Amino acid sequence: MLPTLGDFRRDQLAIATLFFFLGFQYATWASRLPALKDRFDLSGTEVGLLLMAAGVGAAVSFPLVAPLMARLGARRLALFSALGLAAVLPVLAVTSSYPLALLVILVDGIAVGCLNVAMNAQGAALEAHYGRAAMAQLHATFSGGSLGGALLASGVNTVTHSVTAHFAVAAGVGVLLLAGSKPRVLADAPASPDTAVKEERKGLRSLSGASRTALVLGCAMVFGTVVEGAMNDWSALYLTEETGASGRLAPLGIAVVSVMMVLARLLGDGWRNRWGDPVMVRVGSTMAGTGLALALLAGGTWPALIGFACVGLGMATVTPCLYVAAAAQGPGALALVAAMGTTGLLAGPALIGLIAGRTDLTTGMAVVAVCAVLVAVCSRWVGWKTEPAKTVPVAAE
């Protein structure tokens, strides 16, 4: 029997819930960093280490993901790691010392790494099963989850300043989200024991034995996440320090990038169907790099905002397309690409800050523009499908 459009939408919604949950969970504890800073009497450096612990955990998850995917399948790995993330919140709320908080956030990062790979594998499986592009919209829901987590934090904080109460409510919301998505998350049987053993061995030697395509995809992901991370962390400072923008206009930098990215991701799957993933990555990253470079050359606040809009629009579908291509190479490649993306997201803003400290922020942002163009360069070495995805027939409801 032909799948129906309703089947596709229900499965898409269930998987989108996983993306929403991840953004929601991260925004929940990140929004209470000031309270955690006060509780443990942390310096700025110690707060930075707390954030870095999540990234270290995500990197540590890399050799674990492939064998776990082989034994459990993407469905169960996604649900188990999401439940772990829900449990992290109340544990973090009652943690009594900074070293323990570092350990909890490290575990959080490991679970994030597992969920990130599993849910993107589910997204790729959804596209393959129905022959319909869906990954861009799935990634848009991650941003929606971040917004939802921030709004909940603001709402709870107006009633009580208790971190324990906030995290308990958020954990409850997370469990409800997972309970609602579980019946429709795509089922996949665990691999045979022999396959699982092979994947465990591959997980331990993935860096040395990774295919050329996986490494190229990983490099493209690094450059792409450097761009996204740097725009999040440095756009407001660029406007104030390099263009003389007022404090009222400075927040528009990240707002423009975020709004354009969310809108483009909501529309991006239609664009992917029409033009194909290779075109979306090459044209999008080239647009981002060229638009930002021209804005830096022109100088001024409004050219900068236009350049930032080009970055948000151009980079919106890059990450989803790279995840789809990595998933087609197997769970080991997907884990590698996800881990390299996390590295870029963490190391990128720090690198831009180092360059800006030795030169100026305009030079630092120029490096961001170069990274965007390098995504397009890397994408030419990827073995993409030559045709845009074709929609399979669906039955009427």
Side-chain angles (χ1 to χ4, degrees), residues 34-104:
L36 296 174
K37 181 177 183 293
D38 292 341
R39 180 199 295 181
F40 300 123
D41 192 23
L42 304 181
S43 66
T45 300
E46 288 170 326
V47 172
L49 286 175
L50 193 65
L51 291 170
M52 184 63 72
V56 171
V60 168
S61 73
F62 163 54
L64 304 175
V65 171
L68 286 173
M69 285 269 285
R71 288 187 177 274
L72 299 175
R75 179 179 189 267
R76 290 201 291 174
L77 180 59
L79 294 173
F80 288 162
S81 55
L83 286 172
L85 287 171
V88 159
L89 293 174
V91 172
L92 183 60
V94 300
T95 298
S96 58
S97 68
Y98 178 61
L100 285 176
L102 285 173
L103 179 60
V104 172

Short mmCIF file of all heavy atoms in Angstrom, two decimals, residues 34-104:
data_model
loop_
_atom_site.label_atom_id
_atom_site.label_comp_id
_atom_site.label_asym_id
_atom_site.label_seq_id
_atom_site.Cartn_x
_atom_site.Cartn_y
_atom_site.Cartn_z
N PRO A 34 23.58 32.32 34.39
CA PRO A 34 23.83 33.33 35.44
C PRO A 34 23.54 32.78 36.85
O PRO A 34 24.31 33.05 37.78
CB PRO A 34 22.86 34.46 35.07
CG PRO A 34 22.68 34.33 33.59
CD PRO A 34 22.69 32.85 33.34
N ALA A 35 22.46 32.03 36.98
CA ALA A 35 22.14 31.46 38.30
C ALA A 35 23.18 30.42 38.71
O ALA A 35 23.58 30.37 39.88
CB ALA A 35 20.75 30.83 38.26
N LEU A 36 23.62 29.59 37.77
CA LEU A 36 24.66 28.61 38.09
C LEU A 36 25.98 29.30 38.42
O LEU A 36 26.72 28.85 39.31
CB LEU A 36 24.84 27.65 36.91
CG LEU A 36 23.63 26.77 36.57
CD1 LEU A 36 23.89 25.98 35.29
CD2 LEU A 36 23.32 25.81 37.71
N LYS A 37 26.26 30.38 37.71
CA LYS A 37 27.48 31.16 37.99
C LYS A 37 27.46 31.69 39.42
O LYS A 37 28.47 31.62 40.15
CB LYS A 37 27.60 32.30 36.99
CG LYS A 37 28.84 33.18 37.16
CD LYS A 37 28.87 34.24 36.07
CE LYS A 37 30.14 35.08 36.17
NZ LYS A 37 30.19 35.91 37.38
N ASP A 38 26.32 32.22 39.84
CA ASP A 38 26.20 32.75 41.20
C ASP A 38 26.26 31.63 42.24
O ASP A 38 26.89 31.78 43.30
CB ASP A 38 24.89 33.53 41.35
CG ASP A 38 24.88 34.81 40.55
OD1 ASP A 38 25.98 35.28 40.17
OD2 ASP A 38 23.78 35.33 40.28
N ARG A 39 25.62 30.50 41.95
CA ARG A 39 25.59 29.41 42.93
C ARG A 39 26.99 28.89 43.23
O ARG A 39 27.35 28.64 44.39
CB ARG A 39 24.73 28.25 42.42
CG ARG A 39 24.69 27.09 43.42
CD ARG A 39 24.26 25.79 42.79
NE ARG A 39 22.90 25.83 42.31
CZ ARG A 39 22.29 24.78 41.74
NH1 ARG A 39 22.96 23.66 41.56
NH2 ARG A 39 21.04 24.87 41.33
N PHE A 40 27.79 28.71 42.18
CA PHE A 40 29.12 28.15 42.36
C PHE A 40 30.21 29.22 42.45
O PHE A 40 31.39 28.88 42.55
CB PHE A 40 29.46 27.19 41.21
CG PHE A 40 28.50 26.04 41.09
CD1 PHE A 40 27.82 25.81 39.90
CD2 PHE A 40 28.26 25.18 42.16
CE1 PHE A 40 26.93 24.75 39.77
CE2 PHE A 40 27.38 24.12 42.04
CZ PHE A 40 26.71 23.91 40.84
N ASP A 41 29.81 30.51 42.39
CA ASP A 41 30.74 31.63 42.46
C ASP A 41 31.84 31.48 41.41
O ASP A 41 33.03 31.43 41.71
CB ASP A 41 31.35 31.73 43.86
CG ASP A 41 32.11 33.04 44.08
OD1 ASP A 41 31.81 34.02 43.37
OD2 ASP A 41 33.01 33.07 44.94
N LEU A 42 31.43 31.41 40.15
CA LEU A 42 32.35 31.12 39.05
C LEU A 42 32.90 32.40 38.43
O LEU A 42 32.22 33.43 38.38
CB LEU A 42 31.64 30.31 37.97
CG LEU A 42 30.98 28.99 38.39
CD1 LEU A 42 30.34 28.32 37.18
CD2 LEU A 42 31.99 28.08 39.06
N SER A 43 34.12 32.30 37.93
CA SER A 43 34.68 33.36 37.12
C SER A 43 34.23 33.18 35.68
O SER A 43 33.64 32.16 35.32
CB SER A 43 36.22 33.31 37.20
OG SER A 43 36.70 32.12 36.60
N GLY A 44 34.54 34.16 34.85
CA GLY A 44 34.20 34.04 33.44
C GLY A 44 34.88 32.85 32.79
O GLY A 44 34.29 32.15 31.95
N THR A 45 36.13 32.59 33.18
CA THR A 45 36.86 31.45 32.63
C THR A 45 36.20 30.13 33.02
O THR A 45 36.07 29.21 32.21
CB THR A 45 38.31 31.46 33.13
OG1 THR A 45 38.95 32.67 32.71
CG2 THR A 45 39.08 30.27 32.58
N GLU A 46 35.74 30.05 34.27
CA GLU A 46 35.09 28.82 34.73
C GLU A 46 33.75 28.60 34.03
O GLU A 46 33.38 27.46 33.76
CB GLU A 46 34.90 28.88 36.25
CG GLU A 46 36.22 28.73 37.02
CD GLU A 46 36.06 29.01 38.50
OE1 GLU A 46 35.24 29.89 38.85
OE2 GLU A 46 36.76 28.38 39.31
N VAL A 47 33.04 29.68 33.73
CA VAL A 47 31.81 29.54 32.94
C VAL A 47 32.14 29.02 31.55
O VAL A 47 31.45 28.14 31.00
CB VAL A 47 31.05 30.87 32.85
CG1 VAL A 47 29.88 30.77 31.88
CG2 VAL A 47 30.56 31.30 34.23
N GLY A 48 33.22 29.55 30.97
CA GLY A 48 33.66 29.06 29.67
C GLY A 48 34.01 27.58 29.68
O GLY A 48 33.68 26.84 28.75
N LEU A 49 34.64 27.13 30.77
CA LEU A 49 34.97 25.71 30.90
C LEU A 49 33.71 24.86 31.02
O LEU A 49 33.65 23.74 30.51
CB LEU A 49 35.87 25.49 32.12
CG LEU A 49 37.32 25.95 31.97
CD1 LEU A 49 38.06 25.79 33.31
CD2 LEU A 49 38.05 25.18 30.88
N LEU A 50 32.70 25.41 31.70
CA LEU A 50 31.44 24.68 31.82
C LEU A 50 30.82 24.47 30.45
O LEU A 50 30.33 23.38 30.13
CB LEU A 50 30.50 25.45 32.74
CG LEU A 50 29.25 24.71 33.25
CD1 LEU A 50 29.65 23.56 34.15
CD2 LEU A 50 28.33 25.67 34.00
N LEU A 51 30.84 25.52 29.64
CA LEU A 51 30.31 25.40 28.28
C LEU A 51 31.17 24.45 27.44
O LEU A 51 30.66 23.66 26.64
CB LEU A 51 30.25 26.78 27.62
CG LEU A 51 29.22 27.76 28.19
CD1 LEU A 51 29.43 29.15 27.61
CD2 LEU A 51 27.81 27.27 27.90
N MET A 52 32.49 24.54 27.64
CA MET A 52 33.39 23.68 26.88
C MET A 52 33.19 22.21 27.23
O MET A 52 33.37 21.33 26.38
CB MET A 52 34.85 24.07 27.16
CG MET A 52 35.88 23.31 26.35
SD MET A 52 35.73 23.61 24.57
CE MET A 52 36.34 25.30 24.46
N ALA A 53 32.78 21.92 28.48
CA ALA A 53 32.56 20.53 28.90
C ALA A 53 31.51 19.86 28.02
O ALA A 53 31.62 18.67 27.71
CB ALA A 53 32.16 20.48 30.37
N ALA A 54 30.49 20.60 27.63
CA ALA A 54 29.46 20.04 26.75
C ALA A 54 30.07 19.66 25.40
O ALA A 54 29.77 18.60 24.84
CB ALA A 54 28.32 21.02 26.57
N GLY A 55 30.93 20.52 24.88
CA GLY A 55 31.57 20.22 23.61
C GLY A 55 32.53 19.05 23.70
O GLY A 55 32.61 18.22 22.79
N VAL A 56 33.26 18.97 24.81
CA VAL A 56 34.16 17.83 25.01
C VAL A 56 33.36 16.53 25.07
O VAL A 56 33.74 15.51 24.48
CB VAL A 56 34.98 18.02 26.31
CG1 VAL A 56 35.76 16.75 26.63
CG2 VAL A 56 35.95 19.20 26.15
N GLY A 57 32.22 16.57 25.77
CA GLY A 57 31.37 15.39 25.84
C GLY A 57 30.88 14.97 24.46
O GLY A 57 30.85 13.78 24.13
N ALA A 58 30.48 15.95 23.64
CA ALA A 58 30.02 15.64 22.28
C ALA A 58 31.14 15.00 21.47
O ALA A 58 30.91 14.06 20.69
CB ALA A 58 29.52 16.90 21.60
N ALA A 59 32.39 15.50 21.65
CA ALA A 59 33.51 14.90 20.94
C ALA A 59 33.81 13.49 21.44
O ALA A 59 34.11 12.59 20.66
CB ALA A 59 34.75 15.79 21.10
N VAL A 60 33.68 13.29 22.76
CA VAL A 60 33.90 11.97 23.34
C VAL A 60 32.90 10.96 22.81
O VAL A 60 33.20 9.76 22.67
CB VAL A 60 33.82 12.04 24.89
CG1 VAL A 60 33.76 10.66 25.51
CG2 VAL A 60 35.03 12.81 25.44
N SER A 61 31.69 11.43 22.48
CA SER A 61 30.64 10.51 22.01
C SER A 61 30.97 9.93 20.64
O SER A 61 30.38 8.90 20.25
CB SER A 61 29.30 11.24 21.93
OG SER A 61 29.27 12.16 20.84
N PHE A 62 31.90 10.54 19.91
CA PHE A 62 32.15 10.14 18.53
C PHE A 62 32.46 8.65 18.37
O PHE A 62 31.81 7.95 17.58
CB PHE A 62 33.26 11.00 17.92
CG PHE A 62 33.89 10.44 16.69
CD1 PHE A 62 33.11 10.09 15.60
CD2 PHE A 62 35.25 10.26 16.61
CE1 PHE A 62 33.68 9.57 14.45
CE2 PHE A 62 35.83 9.73 15.47
CZ PHE A 62 35.05 9.39 14.40
N PRO A 63 33.44 8.07 19.12
CA PRO A 63 33.71 6.64 18.92
C PRO A 63 32.62 5.73 19.46
O PRO A 63 32.61 4.53 19.16
CB PRO A 63 35.03 6.42 19.68
CG PRO A 63 35.06 7.50 20.70
CD PRO A 63 34.38 8.69 20.07
N LEU A 64 31.68 6.28 20.25
CA LEU A 64 30.61 5.46 20.83
C LEU A 64 29.40 5.34 19.91
O LEU A 64 28.67 4.36 19.98
CB LEU A 64 30.16 6.07 22.16
CG LEU A 64 31.22 6.29 23.24
CD1 LEU A 64 30.60 7.01 24.44
CD2 LEU A 64 31.84 4.97 23.67
N VAL A 65 29.18 6.34 19.07
CA VAL A 65 27.92 6.42 18.35
C VAL A 65 27.75 5.30 17.34
O VAL A 65 26.69 4.67 17.26
CB VAL A 65 27.77 7.80 17.67
CG1 VAL A 65 26.55 7.80 16.75
CG2 VAL A 65 27.64 8.89 18.71
N ALA A 66 28.79 5.02 16.55
CA ALA A 66 28.65 3.99 15.50
C ALA A 66 28.28 2.62 16.08
O ALA A 66 27.33 1.99 15.60
CB ALA A 66 29.93 3.91 14.66
N PRO A 67 28.98 2.13 17.11
CA PRO A 67 28.57 0.83 17.66
C PRO A 67 27.20 0.88 18.33
O PRO A 67 26.44 -0.10 18.26
CB PRO A 67 29.67 0.50 18.68
CG PRO A 67 30.37 1.78 18.95
CD PRO A 67 30.26 2.58 17.69
N LEU A 68 26.85 2.00 18.97
CA LEU A 68 25.53 2.11 19.58
C LEU A 68 24.44 2.12 18.52
O LEU A 68 23.38 1.51 18.70
CB LEU A 68 25.45 3.37 20.44
CG LEU A 68 26.20 3.34 21.77
CD1 LEU A 68 26.18 4.71 22.44
CD2 LEU A 68 25.62 2.28 22.70
N MET A 69 24.68 2.80 17.42
CA MET A 69 23.72 2.80 16.32
C MET A 69 23.54 1.39 15.77
O MET A 69 22.43 0.96 15.42
CB MET A 69 24.18 3.75 15.21
CG MET A 69 24.02 5.22 15.54
SD MET A 69 22.43 5.87 15.01
CE MET A 69 22.72 5.99 13.24
N ALA A 70 24.66 0.66 15.68
CA ALA A 70 24.58 -0.69 15.13
C ALA A 70 23.79 -1.62 16.05
O ALA A 70 23.04 -2.48 15.58
CB ALA A 70 25.99 -1.25 14.90
N ARG A 71 23.96 -1.47 17.35
CA ARG A 71 23.30 -2.37 18.30
C ARG A 71 21.86 -1.97 18.58
O ARG A 71 20.99 -2.82 18.75
CB ARG A 71 24.09 -2.41 19.61
CG ARG A 71 25.41 -3.16 19.51
CD ARG A 71 26.06 -3.33 20.87
NE ARG A 71 27.28 -4.11 20.74
CZ ARG A 71 27.34 -5.45 20.78
NH1 ARG A 71 26.21 -6.14 20.90
NH2 ARG A 71 28.49 -6.08 20.67
N LEU A 72 21.62 -0.66 18.66
CA LEU A 72 20.30 -0.19 19.08
C LEU A 72 19.42 0.28 17.92
O LEU A 72 18.19 0.23 18.01
CB LEU A 72 20.44 0.96 20.08
CG LEU A 72 21.18 0.66 21.39
CD1 LEU A 72 21.35 1.94 22.21
CD2 LEU A 72 20.45 -0.40 22.20
N GLY A 73 20.04 0.77 16.86
CA GLY A 73 19.29 1.45 15.81
C GLY A 73 19.10 2.92 16.17
O GLY A 73 19.18 3.31 17.34
N ALA A 74 18.87 3.75 15.16
CA ALA A 74 18.74 5.19 15.38
C ALA A 74 17.55 5.52 16.28
O ALA A 74 17.61 6.45 17.09
CB ALA A 74 18.62 5.91 14.04
N ARG A 75 16.47 4.76 16.15
CA ARG A 75 15.26 5.07 16.91
C ARG A 75 15.50 4.95 18.41
O ARG A 75 15.24 5.88 19.17
CB ARG A 75 14.12 4.13 16.47
CG ARG A 75 12.80 4.36 17.22
CD ARG A 75 11.74 3.40 16.69
NE ARG A 75 10.43 3.72 17.23
CZ ARG A 75 9.91 3.16 18.32
NH1 ARG A 75 10.64 2.29 19.00
NH2 ARG A 75 8.71 3.50 18.73
N ARG A 76 16.01 3.78 18.82
CA ARG A 76 16.20 3.58 20.25
C ARG A 76 17.33 4.45 20.80
O ARG A 76 17.25 4.94 21.93
CB ARG A 76 16.47 2.11 20.55
CG ARG A 76 15.24 1.23 20.35
CD ARG A 76 15.35 -0.08 21.11
NE ARG A 76 16.37 -0.96 20.54
CZ ARG A 76 16.73 -2.12 21.09
NH1 ARG A 76 16.20 -2.52 22.21
NH2 ARG A 76 17.64 -2.87 20.49
N LEU A 77 18.39 4.65 20.01
CA LEU A 77 19.46 5.52 20.48
C LEU A 77 18.96 6.94 20.69
O LEU A 77 19.31 7.60 21.67
CB LEU A 77 20.62 5.50 19.47
CG LEU A 77 21.82 6.39 19.85
CD1 LEU A 77 22.41 5.99 21.20
CD2 LEU A 77 22.89 6.34 18.75
N ALA A 78 18.13 7.42 19.76
CA ALA A 78 17.57 8.76 19.89
C ALA A 78 16.72 8.89 21.15
O ALA A 78 16.87 9.85 21.93
CB ALA A 78 16.74 9.13 18.66
N LEU A 79 15.85 7.93 21.39
CA LEU A 79 14.96 8.01 22.54
C LEU A 79 15.72 7.85 23.85
O LEU A 79 15.46 8.56 24.83
CB LEU A 79 13.86 6.96 22.42
CG LEU A 79 12.88 7.17 21.26
CD1 LEU A 79 11.94 5.98 21.11
CD2 LEU A 79 12.08 8.46 21.45
N PHE A 80 16.68 6.92 23.91
CA PHE A 80 17.44 6.71 25.14
C PHE A 80 18.29 7.94 25.47
O PHE A 80 18.35 8.38 26.62
CB PHE A 80 18.35 5.48 25.01
CG PHE A 80 17.62 4.17 25.03
CD1 PHE A 80 18.22 3.02 24.58
CD2 PHE A 80 16.31 4.09 25.50
CE1 PHE A 80 17.55 1.80 24.59
CE2 PHE A 80 15.62 2.88 25.51
CZ PHE A 80 16.23 1.74 25.05
N SER A 81 18.97 8.50 24.46
CA SER A 81 19.81 9.67 24.73
C SER A 81 18.95 10.88 25.09
O SER A 81 19.34 11.69 25.93
CB SER A 81 20.70 9.97 23.52
OG SER A 81 19.93 10.12 22.33
N ALA A 82 17.76 11.01 24.47
CA ALA A 82 16.87 12.11 24.83
C ALA A 82 16.37 11.99 26.27
O ALA A 82 16.30 12.98 27.01
CB ALA A 82 15.69 12.16 23.86
N LEU A 83 16.05 10.77 26.69
CA LEU A 83 15.65 10.56 28.08
C LEU A 83 16.80 10.91 29.03
O LEU A 83 16.59 11.47 30.11
CB LEU A 83 15.20 9.12 28.30
CG LEU A 83 13.83 8.75 27.73
CD1 LEU A 83 13.59 7.24 27.85
CD2 LEU A 83 12.72 9.52 28.46
N GLY A 84 18.02 10.56 28.62
CA GLY A 84 19.17 10.94 29.42
C GLY A 84 19.30 12.45 29.56
O GLY A 84 19.62 12.96 30.64
N LEU A 85 19.04 13.17 28.47
CA LEU A 85 19.11 14.63 28.52
C LEU A 85 18.02 15.21 29.42
O LEU A 85 18.24 16.21 30.12
CB LEU A 85 18.99 15.20 27.11
CG LEU A 85 20.22 15.02 26.22
CD1 LEU A 85 19.92 15.42 24.78
CD2 LEU A 85 21.39 15.83 26.76
N ALA A 86 16.84 14.60 29.40
CA ALA A 86 15.78 15.06 30.30
C ALA A 86 16.19 14.85 31.75
O ALA A 86 15.92 15.70 32.62
CB ALA A 86 14.48 14.31 30.00
N ALA A 87 16.87 13.73 32.05
CA ALA A 87 17.30 13.44 33.41
C ALA A 87 18.43 14.36 33.86
O ALA A 87 18.58 14.62 35.07
CB ALA A 87 17.75 11.98 33.52
N VAL A 88 19.23 14.86 32.91
CA VAL A 88 20.35 15.74 33.26
C VAL A 88 19.86 17.00 33.98
O VAL A 88 20.50 17.49 34.91
CB VAL A 88 21.15 16.11 31.99
CG1 VAL A 88 21.96 17.39 32.21
CG2 VAL A 88 22.08 14.97 31.62
N LEU A 89 18.70 17.51 33.57
CA LEU A 89 18.24 18.80 34.11
C LEU A 89 18.02 18.76 35.63
O LEU A 89 18.58 19.60 36.35
CB LEU A 89 16.97 19.24 33.37
CG LEU A 89 17.17 19.60 31.89
CD1 LEU A 89 15.83 19.88 31.23
CD2 LEU A 89 18.11 20.80 31.75
N PRO A 90 17.20 17.83 36.17
CA PRO A 90 17.05 17.81 37.62
C PRO A 90 18.33 17.47 38.35
O PRO A 90 18.56 17.96 39.47
CB PRO A 90 15.96 16.75 37.86
CG PRO A 90 15.91 15.94 36.63
CD PRO A 90 16.29 16.86 35.51
N VAL A 91 19.19 16.64 37.74
CA VAL A 91 20.47 16.32 38.38
C VAL A 91 21.33 17.58 38.48
O VAL A 91 21.95 17.85 39.52
CB VAL A 91 21.20 15.20 37.60
CG1 VAL A 91 22.61 15.01 38.14
CG2 VAL A 91 20.43 13.90 37.69
N LEU A 92 21.39 18.36 37.39
CA LEU A 92 22.16 19.60 37.41
C LEU A 92 21.60 20.58 38.43
O LEU A 92 22.34 21.32 39.09
CB LEU A 92 22.16 20.24 36.01
CG LEU A 92 22.98 21.51 35.84
CD1 LEU A 92 24.45 21.27 36.16
CD2 LEU A 92 22.83 22.06 34.41
N ALA A 93 20.27 20.58 38.59
CA ALA A 93 19.64 21.50 39.52
C ALA A 93 20.06 21.26 40.97
O ALA A 93 20.12 22.20 41.76
CB ALA A 93 18.12 21.40 39.40
N VAL A 94 20.33 20.00 41.32
CA VAL A 94 20.69 19.68 42.71
C VAL A 94 22.18 19.46 42.90
O VAL A 94 22.62 19.14 44.01
CB VAL A 94 19.90 18.44 43.20
CG1 VAL A 94 18.41 18.69 43.13
CG2 VAL A 94 20.28 17.19 42.39
N THR A 95 22.96 19.62 41.84
CA THR A 95 24.41 19.44 41.95
C THR A 95 24.98 20.50 42.90
O THR A 95 24.66 21.68 42.80
CB THR A 95 25.08 19.56 40.57
OG1 THR A 95 24.57 18.53 39.73
CG2 THR A 95 26.58 19.44 40.67
N SER A 96 25.86 20.04 43.80
CA SER A 96 26.30 20.92 44.89
C SER A 96 27.67 21.53 44.70
O SER A 96 28.09 22.36 45.51
CB SER A 96 26.28 20.13 46.21
OG SER A 96 27.14 18.99 46.11
N SER A 97 28.41 21.12 43.66
CA SER A 97 29.77 21.65 43.50
C SER A 97 30.09 21.85 42.02
O SER A 97 29.50 21.20 41.15
CB SER A 97 30.81 20.70 44.12
OG SER A 97 30.89 19.48 43.41
N TYR A 98 31.05 22.70 41.77
CA TYR A 98 31.46 22.99 40.40
C TYR A 98 32.05 21.78 39.69
O TYR A 98 31.69 21.50 38.54
CB TYR A 98 32.44 24.15 40.39
CG TYR A 98 32.98 24.51 39.03
CD1 TYR A 98 32.13 24.93 38.01
CD2 TYR A 98 34.35 24.44 38.76
CE1 TYR A 98 32.62 25.26 36.75
CE2 TYR A 98 34.85 24.77 37.51
CZ TYR A 98 33.99 25.18 36.51
OH TYR A 98 34.49 25.51 35.28
N PRO A 99 32.94 20.99 40.32
CA PRO A 99 33.46 19.79 39.63
C PRO A 99 32.35 18.81 39.24
O PRO A 99 32.39 18.23 38.15
CB PRO A 99 34.40 19.17 40.67
CG PRO A 99 34.85 20.31 41.51
CD PRO A 99 33.65 21.21 41.60
N LEU A 100 31.36 18.64 40.11
CA LEU A 100 30.24 17.77 39.76
C LEU A 100 29.43 18.35 38.61
O LEU A 100 28.94 17.62 37.74
CB LEU A 100 29.34 17.55 40.98
CG LEU A 100 29.87 16.59 42.06
CD1 LEU A 100 28.92 16.55 43.24
CD2 LEU A 100 30.09 15.20 41.48
N ALA A 101 29.27 19.68 38.61
CA ALA A 101 28.55 20.32 37.50
C ALA A 101 29.29 20.09 36.18
O ALA A 101 28.65 19.83 35.14
CB ALA A 101 28.40 21.82 37.76
N LEU A 102 30.61 20.15 36.20
CA LEU A 102 31.39 19.87 35.00
C LEU A 102 31.13 18.44 34.52
O LEU A 102 30.98 18.20 33.32
CB LEU A 102 32.88 20.05 35.28
CG LEU A 102 33.40 21.49 35.36
CD1 LEU A 102 34.86 21.49 35.81
CD2 LEU A 102 33.27 22.21 34.03
N LEU A 103 31.08 17.51 35.46
CA LEU A 103 30.83 16.12 35.10
C LEU A 103 29.44 15.94 34.51
O LEU A 103 29.26 15.24 33.50
CB LEU A 103 30.99 15.22 36.33
CG LEU A 103 30.75 13.72 36.12
CD1 LEU A 103 31.72 13.16 35.09
CD2 LEU A 103 30.87 12.97 37.44
N VAL A 104 28.44 16.59 35.11
CA VAL A 104 27.07 16.48 34.60
C VAL A 104 26.98 17.05 33.18
O VAL A 104 26.35 16.46 32.29
CB VAL A 104 26.09 17.21 35.53
CG1 VAL A 104 24.69 17.27 34.91
CG2 VAL A 104 26.02 16.51 36.89
#
